[in-house]
């Protein structure tokens, strides 16, 4: 199976969906934040390994605790994936923290701040020109 084949894309999507369901409903580890989402999954063409990018809403401590909780539950997660998805090999999952959502929210806030500052400057210029 090639890396960008239709079959690999379908496997990635299915593993992502099942992994999100497992994290959301079946893992009872208190370290794992309820605001954990699976952003992307990339299964290797040989189905032996898998990278899962996760995003956690919260501070750095919550992110690290969630990552530790997921790493300790890897065996359980792999077993549940094997029960749910019929694959030749069940991939070993490596969890990677994804910062893209947090980065996007942060950039959006900065843009809003700059826009507010520009509006204040424009109002100040209008008031100065109307006084003259």
């Amino acid at each position: 199976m090639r890396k960008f084949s239709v079959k690999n894309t379908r496997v990635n999507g299915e593993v992502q969906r099942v992994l999100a369901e497992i994290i959301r409903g079946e893992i009872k580890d208190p370290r794992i934040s309820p605001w954990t989402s699976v952003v992307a999954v990339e299964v290797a063409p040989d189905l032996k390994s898998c990278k899962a990018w996760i995003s956690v809403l919260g501070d750095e401590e919550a992110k690290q605790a969630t990552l530790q909780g997921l790493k300790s539950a890897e065996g359980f997660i792999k077993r549940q994936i094997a029960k749910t998805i019929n694959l030749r090999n069940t991939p070993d999952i490596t969890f990677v923290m994804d910062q893209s959502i947090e980065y996007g929210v942060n950039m959006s806030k900065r843009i809003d701040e700059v826009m507010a500052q520009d509006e204040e400057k424009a109002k100040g210029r209008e008031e100065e020109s109307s006084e003259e």
Side-chain angles (χ1 to χ4, degrees):
M1 179 167 63
R2 281 185 247 115
K3 187 172 184 177
F4 297 109
S5 69
V6 174
K7 181 179 177 186
N8 198 6
T9 304
R10 283 192 320 223
V11 169
N12 290 343
E14 188 65 15
V15 170
Q16 180 178 354
R17 184 187 65 78
V18 170
L19 186 59
E21 288 176 4
I22 292 169
I23 291 173
R24 187 177 337 111
E26 297 181 28
I27 298 178
K28 293 177 176 47
D29 192 334
R31 293 178 290 183
I32 298 175
S33 171
W35 299 103
T36 302
S37 59
V38 180
V39 177
V41 170
E42 185 177 309
V43 179
D46 63 356
L47 302 174
K48 300 227 181 205
S49 64
C50 168
K51 270 189 182 176
W53 283 271
I54 60 165
S55 177
V56 179
L57 188 63
D59 59 349
E60 193 62 34
E61 187 177 316
K63 292 176 185 178
Q64 292 304 319
T66 299
L67 205 54
Q68 288 175 345
L70 288 172
K71 284 183 181 179
S72 70
E74 278 180 1
F76 173 77
I77 293 170
K78 185 175 178 177
R79 197 166 47 251
Q80 293 303 106
I81 288 176
K83 285 181 184 177
T84 309
I85 305 173
N86 185 18
L87 293 174
R88 185 177 338 113
N89 298 318
T90 303
D92 292 323
I93 300 172
T94 304
F95 292 101
V96 180
M97 191 59 68
D98 183 50
Q99 305 292 336
S100 63
I101 295 174
E102 181 180 345
Y103 179 78
V105 169
N106 190 19
M107 291 306 288
S108 179
K109 285 181 185 176
R110 288 184 181 182
I111 290 170
D112 291 343
E113 289 171 3
V114 169
M115 293 297 288
Q117 289 173 356
D118 283 349
E119 288 177 9
E120 288 175 13
K121 287 180 183 178
K123 286 180 182 178
R125 288 185 200 135
E126 288 176 7
E127 289 175 1
E128 288 176 7
S129 64
S130 64
E131 290 176 359
E132 294 175 0

